[in-house]
Amino acid sequence: MSITPPVTGNTPAIAFERLLTIMDDLRLNCPWDKKQTLESLRHLTIEEVYELSDSILSADIPEIKKELGDIMLHLVFYARIASETNDFNITDVLNGICDKLINRHPHIYGDVEVNDENDVKRNWEQIKLKEGNKSVLGGVPASLPALVKASRIQEKARGVGFDWEEKGQVWAKVEEEMREFRDEFNAEDDSKIDHDNAESEFGDLLFSLINYARFININPEDALEKTNRKFIKRFQYLENKAKEQGKDLHDMSLAEMDVFWDEAKKL
């Protein structure tokens, strides 16, 4: 069976309607699309979001556009599946987010006055509590990666005024946590090291570093990922150079590898 595809839209509304029509066609006629459920799409959606993140860090604009389209498809897919059981549809989803944005921006759609973005964040968290949230931190997903979760926890706490006053105080806390972590490893006999305590102190140190990064407007997740990419690039240079000379990394000394590593750092 052949279905005539909907024509390209020249406005956002027409283009979005085109996507909805295609989604309907796929759900009714494609064997793979017909089998999908909310649960089966979940891990694929997570993968798409990470791919978008990669393209943003790479500043690859065409890829960002492509990945946004993939995520948009997933959002429409979820709404289509839910509509089949009369739980909700795409109109409910869109109106729901519009209503939430209007309600949480009283400085735009009401008579509330704000001075800066911090006022906006505080209002946002206070409105969420009025809407029924039992805790300011209740909206932080439990399954978030720990590094991202720490950032979100700190941002939300700051939104209600629970924060350091200046970055010098935060750095002092970093140094304090560094000393406490170091002290856990001062025992000469490794068997006497309490690794549970050391792990706890290391977690405290990371949390304080993430806090400091927030104060100086550094996204710790982005910073670490960029360092990961930098290390991968340099290590692969090292591997390629060793291969060009007919050497195996397992048979090279650290000093020999450092020569190529230093070359990679200059690229």
Side-chain angles (χ1 to χ4, degrees):
M1 179 179 64
S2 178
I3 298 176
T4 302
V7 297
T8 302
N10 55 9
T11 69
I14 295 174
F16 190 63
E17 186 65 35
R18 183 188 186 208
L19 176 60
L20 294 177
T21 300
I22 292 173
M23 183 73 258
D24 289 343
D25 291 340
L26 298 181
R27 186 67 174 170
L28 292 171
N29 300 289
C30 174
W32 186 87
D33 289 282
K34 288 166 69 173
K35 288 181 61 177
Q36 301 314 305
T37 65
L38 298 177
E39 292 78 12
S40 70
L41 288 175
R42 176 181 173 276
H43 74 282
L44 297 176
T45 306
I46 293 172
E47 181 180 327
E48 294 294 353
V49 172
Y50 274 107
E51 289 178 358
L52 172 62
S53 175
D54 287 343
S55 64
I56 291 172
L57 288 177
S58 299
D60 188 336
I61 300 300
E63 195 66 17
I64 292 173
K65 182 181 74 170
K66 171 181 170 294
E67 297 301 340
L68 284 173
D70 290 343
I71 291 174
M72 187 71 71
L73 169 62
H74 279 243
L75 302 182
V76 167
F77 210 153
Y78 287 119
R80 164 66 201 217
I81 293 172
S83 72
E84 296 167 4
T85 53
N86 294 318
D87 289 309
F88 60 83
N89 57 36
I90 192 64
T91 303
D92 299 326
V93 172
L94 295 175
N95 281 328
I97 185 60
C98 289
D99 290 343
K100 182 167 73 172
L101 289 173
I102 291 170
N103 187 50
R104 293 189 184 178
H105 289 79
H107 54 289
I108 302 296
Y109 299 105
D111 55 5
V112 172
E113 295 185 3
V114 296
N115 295 316
D116 53 31
E117 64 174 308
N118 291 326
D119 285 349
V120 174
K121 290 179 179 178
R122 277 191 290 271
N123 287 341
W124 182 280
E125 296 300 339
Q126 289 169 1
I127 292 170
K128 286 178 68 175
L129 290 174
K130 291 179 181 178
E131 291 174 347
N133 283 30
K134 295 180 179 179
S135 169
V136 169
L137 305 181
V140 180
S143 58
L144 273 181
L147 190 64
V148 178
K149 185 187 292 186
S151 296
R152 294 297 293 135
I153 288 171
Q154 293 170 6
E155 288 169 1
K156 286 185 172 293
R158 181 183 185 182
V160 293
F162 187 76
D163 203 5
W164 301 94
E165 293 179 352
E166 54 187 47
K167 66 180 182 181
Q169 297 171 311
V170 188
W171 185 250
K173 185 63 176 176
V174 171
E175 293 179 323
E176 174 190 332
E177 298 296 352
M178 176 67 81
R179 287 192 299 271
E180 292 179 0
F181 173 62
R182 181 192 59 206
D183 290 345
E184 288 297 326
F185 288 96
N186 273 345
E188 294 183 5
D189 184 354
D190 286 349
S191 64
K192 295 181 179 179
I193 294 176
D194 188 326
H195 285 277
D196 287 340
N197 281 346
E199 180 183 62
S200 176
E201 294 299 343
F202 185 68
D204 291 346
L205 174 59
L206 282 179
F207 194 84
S208 64
L209 280 169
I210 292 168
N211 217 353
Y212 188 74
R214 179 172 57 83
F215 262 77
I216 57 176
N217 296 317
I218 290 176
N219 184 303
E221 174 71 18
D222 290 349
L224 183 57
E225 177 56 20
K226 288 175 181 177
T227 295
N228 289 340
R229 293 181 175 209
K230 180 169 59 179
F231 184 91
I232 290 171
K233 182 178 179 181
R234 291 175 180 176
F235 192 82
Q236 290 177 338
Y237 176 90
L238 163 62
E239 289 178 313
N240 291 333
K241 281 297 184 179
K243 189 178 297 183
E244 287 175 7
Q245 297 190 8
K247 297 180 179 179
D248 190 301
L249 292 183
H250 293 288
D251 301 324
M252 295 175 65
S253 68
L254 183 58
E256 290 176 307
M257 288 190 282
D258 276 343
V259 172
F260 296 136
W261 185 263
D262 288 338
E263 289 178 8
K265 290 169 64 175
K266 296 176 183 177
L267 296 178

